[in-house]
Amino acid sequence: MAFRLPWRPWEGGFADGTGKDARFNYPAGLVVDASGDVIVADAGNHRIRKVTPEGRVTTLAGSGVQGAQDGVGLAAQFNRPSQLIIDASGSIFVSEWHGHRIRRLDLDGTVTTIAGTGEQGFADGPVRQAKFNRPQGLALGLDGSIYVADSDNYRIRRIFGGMVTTVAGDGTRGFNDGSALKAKFGSLGGLIRMRDGDLIVADSDYDCIRRVSAAGQVTTIVGGGTYRKPRIGADEFDGFNESGYVDGDERTARFYVPLAMAVDSSEKNIYVCDSANDAIRQITFLR
């Protein structure tokens, strides 16, 4: 998915420190750990950073050099880290937008690659041979598996038992609900795993939020469903079709490039970064 980033009146940079003395460069994802620290995927700095409740910012991992080196702490390298999840042990999992890998950062600072060769493409199979194409959203499965919104492969993938498999999407960009492996997606953003095992994914191309049930069915729960065709020679999309900004029920609400998502503890409310509308939206399940 290609769309023009907004003009920014501030200057991105890198600095650890406290409060306004710290600097970030296109932070793309975050998660809160058991201590209340906010862990940030600082994409433009190719680092993983930590913000304490007091506002002190430190670097947990990443040298700042764009690369793929596993290692400990500042000796490791990342390639535009995107989104994060954290497991019960405190290990942090990182999707790499440009590195096409899934990485793990353990409590001792060790960074390891858990899936992906680093070559942009598609391949299921053993984790060291599997290929991704701009992975974004991550979710932990009930069994400890990791689900990946593999954005530009238009699929949801699963990492478990040393293997990568596809759980939804036929790999063709398009819009089609139905049986999981026959369904079609556009470029994908955020991903949530619900307590019943269902997956909720932001379909950024088609401006909608979709569900992959534990039974293997894909449905659209709210939003558009019509692809925004790009203008020839332009970086941004136009031709809104079913995209836009409308509050309402599942039939009338409209989004414009939904990306990251979060769910509250009751699972009655999902919060969506509606990126091209410059808004945070709330989806409330009434039944």
Side-chain angles (χ1 to χ4, degrees):
M1 181 179 64
F3 56 91
R4 179 168 294 168
L5 297 175
W7 173 76
R8 299 185 294 175
W10 58 92
E11 192 68 33
F14 171 75
D16 285 336
T18 301
K20 293 182 179 180
D21 292 333
R23 294 288 182 270
F24 295 88
N25 187 0
Y26 206 80
L30 56 81
V31 69
V32 180
D33 69 13
S35 300
D37 296 327
V38 177
I39 313 301
V40 181
D42 192 1
N45 280 319
H46 313 294
R47 292 173 164 101
I48 307 300
R49 318 278 296 281
K50 179 175 78 172
V51 186
T52 68
E54 298 75 30
R56 179 170 175 76
V57 178
T58 56
T59 298
L60 295 178
S63 67
V65 175
Q66 188 173 10
Q69 182 67 47
D70 286 341
V72 178
L74 304 187
Q77 295 175 347
F78 292 91
N79 191 346
R80 208 160 184 88
S82 178
Q83 296 194 31
L84 308 174
I85 53 172
I86 190 167
D87 69 11
S89 73
S91 291
I92 298 161
F93 297 88
V94 183
S95 62
E96 286 189 303
W97 175 255
H98 281 172
H100 313 296
R101 293 176 170 92
I102 310 301
R103 317 284 293 280
R104 185 180 68 225
L105 170 59
D106 290 323
L107 286 173
D108 65 359
T110 301
V111 176
T112 54
T113 299
I114 65 165
T117 65
E119 181 182 352
Q120 186 175 15
F122 170 75
D124 280 337
V127 292
R128 294 183 180 276
Q129 300 172 25
K131 295 179 183 179
F132 296 88
N133 190 352
R134 294 180 174 171
Q136 287 215 79
L138 300 173
L140 287 171
L142 295 166
D143 55 3
S145 58
I146 298 171
Y147 291 95
V148 181
D150 193 5
S151 180
D152 284 3
N153 275 322
Y154 321 116
R155 293 173 165 99
I156 297 174
R157 319 276 294 280
R158 179 176 182 248
I159 304 169
F160 185 69
M163 299 291 290
V164 176
T165 56
T166 296
V167 299
D170 71 356
T172 304
R173 175 186 263 169
F175 180 83
N176 185 49
D177 287 340
S179 177
L181 294 180
K182 295 181 180 180
K184 298 182 188 297
F185 297 93
S187 292
L188 300 175
L191 185 65
I192 296 169
R193 191 267 300 163
M194 309 293 272
R195 282 193 290 267
D196 60 6
D198 288 0
L199 298 171
I200 309 296
V201 65
D203 192 331
S204 303
D205 274 351
Y206 290 90
D207 302 302
C208 58
I209 310 301
R210 304 176 70 184
R211 181 194 302 269
V212 183
S213 74
Q217 291 293 310
V218 175
T219 55
T220 299
I221 60 175
V222 63
T226 301
Y227 182 57
R228 291 166 280 103
K229 295 180 180 179
R231 287 205 305 261
I232 296 175
D235 293 327
E236 78 275 15
F237 292 101
D238 69 353
F240 284 78
N241 294 322
E242 292 293 324
S243 62
Y245 180 85
V246 180
D247 285 337
D249 63 22
E250 65 269 27
R251 294 180 180 273
T252 60
R254 293 293 177 262
F255 296 86
Y256 192 15
V257 194
L259 288 174
M261 298 188 298
V263 63
D264 68 12
S265 59
S266 72
E267 295 197 343
K268 291 182 179 179
N269 298 289
I270 290 176
Y271 301 92
V272 182
C273 291
D274 194 6
S275 65
N277 277 322
D278 300 311
I280 307 300
R281 312 284 294 283
Q282 176 180 319
I283 301 169
T284 299
F285 295 96
L286 301 177
R287 58 183 184 276

